[in-house]
Amino acid sequence: GENVEQHPSTLSVQEGDSAVIKCTYSDSASNYFPWYKQELGKGPQLIIDIRSNVGEKKDQRIAVTLNKTAKHFSLHITETQPEDSAVYFCAAISGNTPLVFGKGTRLSVIA
Amino acid sequence: DTEVTQTPKHLVMGMTNKKSLKCEQHMGHRAMYWYKQKAKKPPELMFVYSYEKLSINESVPSRFSPECPNSSLLNLHLHALQPEDSALYLCASSQNPGYEQYFGPGTRLTVT
């Protein structure tokens, strides 16, 4: 089955700097890659996603890139703000199979 | 609107109690999910309903019993739980299996 590895497990950045979180997946049939942000005491919030027929997608300060050959995808957050502090999860889906999550990255943005 | 609602927000129950968690979505989604999340871990899939039929049970103990009364509602019935079942229980929905999933805020369950 699918296996998703996520790095780093914790990340601290200064406010205004960029943050990058990387994930690798094992199943070459995976075709959908969402990213979730989870704040303390809340459910995961879908913040951006990408499908396997696209290499990059951007939404304001957030972007996701996908390298199908290397089987890795990354989340990029520019101009970080304190409210970006949260746990971020990457995930992968192959067809109709359930989401497989990475272990999460705790991002701290220091003002 | 991508809202999934869950009630109650918090629940404390003894090991002999019977309680239910409720989840509702009005997005017309045909797939609904229950996840369990322990602290500092990713959500762990428990059940998937597709078109109101149970399609996936991830070997969950029978003290957890899911129910899908209609396409908008999902319940999780709890009975004779153990303290290690204390966790955040998340509901999610998607247009169909394999599509983007939207999560509710969760129910924080404590078993005493």
Side-chain angles (χ1 to χ4, degrees), chain B:
Chain B
D1 182 15
T2 55
E3 188 176 27
V4 176
T5 58
Q6 290 187 244
T7 55
K9 196 175 173 97
H10 301 278
L11 178 62
V12 179
M13 60 185 290
M15 288 189 283
T16 58
N17 291 158
K18 285 184 181 182
K19 296 285 185 184
S20 296
L21 309 184
K22 295 185 184 302
C23 173
E24 191 166 4
Q25 58 87 13
H26 294 288
M27 296 177 277
H29 289 175
R30 303 317 299 264
M32 295 186 77
Y33 311 79
W34 279 116
Y35 289 85
K36 173 183 177 180
Q37 187 178 28
K38 297 285 245 183
K40 300 186 180 181
K41 298 286 187 183
E44 180 185 336
L45 183 66
M46 300 174 72
F47 302 104
V48 180
Y49 273 83
S50 179
Y51 290 83
E52 300 163 49
K53 292 191 190 312
L54 183 65
S55 61
I56 295 177
N57 175 342
E58 293 284 357
S59 303
V60 178
S62 60
R63 57 186 185 269
F64 295 92
S65 175
E67 179 196 18
C68 189
N70 61 55
S71 60
S72 300
L73 292 173
L74 189 65
N75 297 323
L76 186 63
H77 303 296
L78 315 172
H79 173 55
L81 294 192
Q82 304 296 310
E84 58 264 30
D85 296 322
S86 298
L88 181 68
Y89 287 84
L90 294 161
C91 174
S93 71
S94 65
Q95 183 179 347
N96 280 298
Y99 282 63
E100 53 267 33
Q101 289 185 26
Y102 297 94
F103 285 81
T107 293
R108 173 72 59 189
L109 174 67
T110 303
V111 182
T112 60

Side-chain angles (χ1 to χ4, degrees), chain A residues 7-78:
Chain A
H7 298 280
S9 57
T10 60
L11 179 60
S12 290
V13 299
Q14 291 289 328
E15 182 179 359
D17 287 351
S18 295
V20 180
I21 303 171
K22 298 182 179 182
C23 290
T24 60
Y25 60 99
S26 61
D27 187 351
S28 56
S30 287
N31 56 5
Y32 174 63
F33 308 92
W35 284 89
Y36 288 88
K37 173 184 180 182
Q38 188 171 25
E39 296 174 276
L40 198 61
K42 296 186 178 181
Q45 176 194 2
L46 178 65
I47 57 171
I48 197 166
D49 55 12
I50 193 167
R51 294 198 178 271
S52 58
N53 58 346
V54 175
E56 183 174 358
K57 184 176 178 181
K58 190 172 180 180
D59 182 6
Q60 299 183 358
R61 295 186 297 109
I62 294 173
V64 57
T65 59
L66 171 65
N67 183 326
K68 281 169 38 182
T69 304
K71 288 191 279 188
H72 68 70
F73 56 112
S74 300
L75 177 71
H76 304 254
I77 306 174
T78 58

